[in-house]
Amino acid sequence: MSADSAQSGGLAITGLVKRYGTVEAVAGIDLEIQRGEFLTLLGPSGSGKTTLLMMIAGFQDATAGDILLDGRSIVATPAEKRNFGMVFQGYALFPHMSVRDNIGYALSVRKRPRREIAGRVEEMIDLVQLQGMEDRLPAQLSGGQQQRVALARALAFAPPVLLLDEPLGALDRKLRIEVQAQLKDLHERVGTTFIYVTHDQEEALSMSDRVVIMQSGRIEQVGTPQELYSRPRTRFAATFLGKSNFLHRDGRVWALRPEKIDLHVGSSGDDRTTGKILSQTYFGSVLNYRVETTEFGVLEVDVDAWRGGAALRPGTVVSIGWHDEAVVPLED
Amino acid sequence: MKPGFSTRFNRFAAWVLLMFLVLPALVAIPVSLTPRRFLSMPQGEYSLRHFETLFGSPAWMSSFAQSAVIAVSAAFLATVLGTLCAIGLWRIASRAAEAIRALLLLPLVVPPIISAMAFYRLFVPLGLMDSYAGMILAHAVLGAPLVLITVSASLAGFDPKLEQASRNLGASTFTTMRRVILPSIRPGVLAGALFAFITSWDEIVVTLFITRFSIYTLPRRMWNGIRENTDPTTAAAAVVLLAVTLVVFLIWVLLQRRARALNPQPE
Ligand SMILES: Nc1ncnc2c1ncn2[C@@H]1O[C@H](COP(=O)(O)OP(=O)(O)OP(=O)(O)O)[C@@H](O)[C@H]1O
Ligand SMILES: [Mg+2]
């Protein structure tokens, strides 16, 4: 299947706009998506992620702009002719059909021979590891199992592009992390282009080839997880992906990640400033300190918990330092 | 704890109201069992002779058959029309659609006598008077709004994402309707069909206006039976009419329960 779906699946979006009355849900988006890429749309609630995905799927008409699949415009193509797989928020499994019929649906509406459908369904069942559940109804499955049926159903017809709208939103945290790994593994095996919507930053960082940070219907920044994390361009990008301190220096704003700050009792050669600890919070792997500094106001500092020894008490005077490349200038 | 006065009074009033609603419907049962030759309450003695007369009479039996054919056909037609209408309006989902829905429900509130006159005026020039076609058509018009209501209620609980999922998987609008929408709203469609059946089964006003000699439904024959003589066979017919209605109603109750068991509503 990786052979047939890897043939295509490159998308280009130009000047895409969706207006509801006076609300601009999507306010001019330009984006290139490589075939086989795992691209994540990340943004707060109401930033237009679902709307953008629905326009790609063909359920919403674009107010302006164009969507190209392998160079051909698809905005006039109805949803049922686009051949994009989709995993819906809440899965939208057909409640009256068995797991087998749900997964075989796309092939059966394409009037494929019964033998072929049965074989393909079996293949998909193996792929998502649902052996033995073929005859159950969706209501008889757990959330994680339903999620896998939805995935198998969407991939059964080997679509060039798979759209996923918060597919893990309904799962508890432990299961979510497990399924994240499975999804990523699946992506590598099938070679389909994945466009993945989430507002969970960890999910975006751990799974994606590239992440698109969205705000108010616009793209705030696009890049690999490493690029976005180490070189955020705006204050919004710096806070939405990870935590950040903001320093005001030379008439500009600079971002400084809390774990890139060195903190120690007493002074050493290249300290930038000194400060007094206000509070400390324990997060298992890291210790977080809030430090009142003389030059930069309150800074957040993350220290590896296993390295820090005993936690420093509020009121302790500390020295603070960082490398030059740790501070990133912002556009604001 | 002993219930207070107002509680007891409420309970008493509820029972009186229930009797008031139900007893008139049930009065035909004892009357049909009277051993005498005229409509009367039996006094100590019961007999099935009027049921014998009923089932032995070719005229009554032909009325049964006519009523059944007309009610089944009208219910079928009303169900197809009402369901298509409901799905169409649900798909459009705009203010105009709401206005059209209200208009389509009009036959429910228009006094039957007005509908009857309208059918009469319309059917005479169309040559549909006193025909199966005319009866089925008229009763389908009366039943379709009920189907529209029950199917619309089912559609209100239908997740529109299921339709999107079906189209996303490559199904045409028609396939989506047949394989995803219809199975999901089946309880509403069946309930509508049953209501449409009952509506036609005991309809009399419109029937009186648009039939003459050849169409003699069960309610029409009962109407004549009561007017022309006081034959208790009419009461026996009423019991059968009621029994069929109750059976249909029972089917509806069972369907509702099964639908709820199969498809538990979240929250
Ligand atoms: N049918 C609609 N009519 C009017 N406004 C809409 C409609 N659908 C979405 N919007 C608006 O468009 C904006 C973007 O909505 P969208 O559903 O795309 O956000 P989202 O990023 O998916 O949010 P979430 O994370 O909560 O799912 C919101 O402000 C929303 O209120
Ligand atoms: Mg959304």
Side-chain angles (χ1 to χ4, degrees), chain B residues 143-192:
Chain B
L146 295 167
V147 180
L148 179 63
I149 289 179
T150 57
V151 174
S152 294
S154 276
L155 281 170
F158 176 76
D159 180 0
K161 271 193 205 141
L162 293 182
E163 194 202 2
Q164 291 185 338
S166 170
R167 287 179 53 209
N168 174 259
L169 291 164
S172 64
T173 313
F174 178 73
T175 307
T176 299
M177 176 146 127
R178 191 170 57 83
R179 294 187 55 178
V180 174
I181 301 180
L182 275 181
S184 302
I185 59 172
R186 184 174 297 158
V189 175
L190 286 176

Side-chain angles (χ1 to χ4, degrees), chain A residues 20 23 25 43-52 89 166 199:
Chain A
Y20 293 110
V23 183
S45 192
S47 54
K49 308 180 294 290
T50 298
T51 308
L52 176 58
Q89 213 164 357
E166 308 213 17
H199 53 232

Side-chain angles (χ1 to χ4, degrees), chain A residues 153-170:
Chain A
R153 183 180 70 173
L155 285 170
F157 61 107
V161 177
L162 183 66
L163 310 170
L164 305 102
D165 193 358
E166 308 213 17
L168 311 186

